[in-house]
Amino acid sequence: MTVVQAGKVHRKKLNIVKLLSLLLGIAVAVTLLIQLNALYARYRSYKQKEALVNEQLEQQKEKQQDLKDYEKYTKTKEYTESQARSKLGLLYDNETIFKEK
């Protein structure tokens, strides 16, 4: 084999190595893009779940405040009187009930 032929064979092998390296790089890049897309889809899903959970949290906070307000109301004289009238039928001494015929 002559020096010229050896150089051509060496360049062919070098070109094949470069081509394989390029193909490997493209394969890695495509794989990374696919994985990135999947991760972004998962991220969007988690963001939607986060928004839903935050909304539920706000609703529960409102419900908690309503219960606190109701608890305060149940400790008032007005609540006690209303319960005594409606459930027990109690009246003050100076009150009279008129019934329609």
Side-chain angles (χ1 to χ4, degrees):
M1 189 179 286
T2 65
V3 174
V4 175
Q5 289 175 339
K8 285 182 181 181
V9 171
H10 180 67
R11 271 188 258 137
K12 277 188 177 182
K13 285 183 181 178
L14 188 59
N15 286 340
I16 290 173
V17 169
K18 285 181 182 180
L19 181 62
L20 289 176
S21 297
L22 179 63
L23 290 175
L24 180 64
I26 290 172
V28 168
V30 168
T31 303
L32 287 176
L33 287 174
I34 291 170
Q35 291 299 320
L36 181 63
N37 189 34
L39 285 174
Y40 187 67
R42 195 180 319 168
Y43 170 78
R44 286 187 307 227
S45 169
Y46 288 150
K47 277 296 191 186
Q48 289 174 345
K49 287 179 185 178
E50 180 185 25
L52 179 64
V53 168
N54 283 336
E55 183 179 325
Q56 290 173 344
L57 178 64
E58 287 302 317
Q59 290 173 352
Q60 291 300 319
K61 284 181 179 180
E62 289 175 10
K63 187 175 179 180
Q64 181 182 25
Q65 186 60 45
D66 290 345
L67 287 172
K68 285 182 181 180
D69 293 343
Y70 185 72
E71 180 185 20
K72 287 179 185 177
Y73 171 69
T74 59
K75 294 178 182 178
T76 64
K77 184 177 179 182
E78 179 185 342
Y79 175 77
T80 306
E81 287 178 1
S82 126
Q83 292 299 308
R85 286 177 189 274
S86 66
K87 293 189 178 180
L88 301 175
L90 299 177
L91 303 172
Y92 283 110
D93 291 336
N94 59 354
E95 288 184 315
T96 306
I97 296 179
F98 296 99
K99 294 183 180 179
E100 283 189 41
K101 289 187 178 184

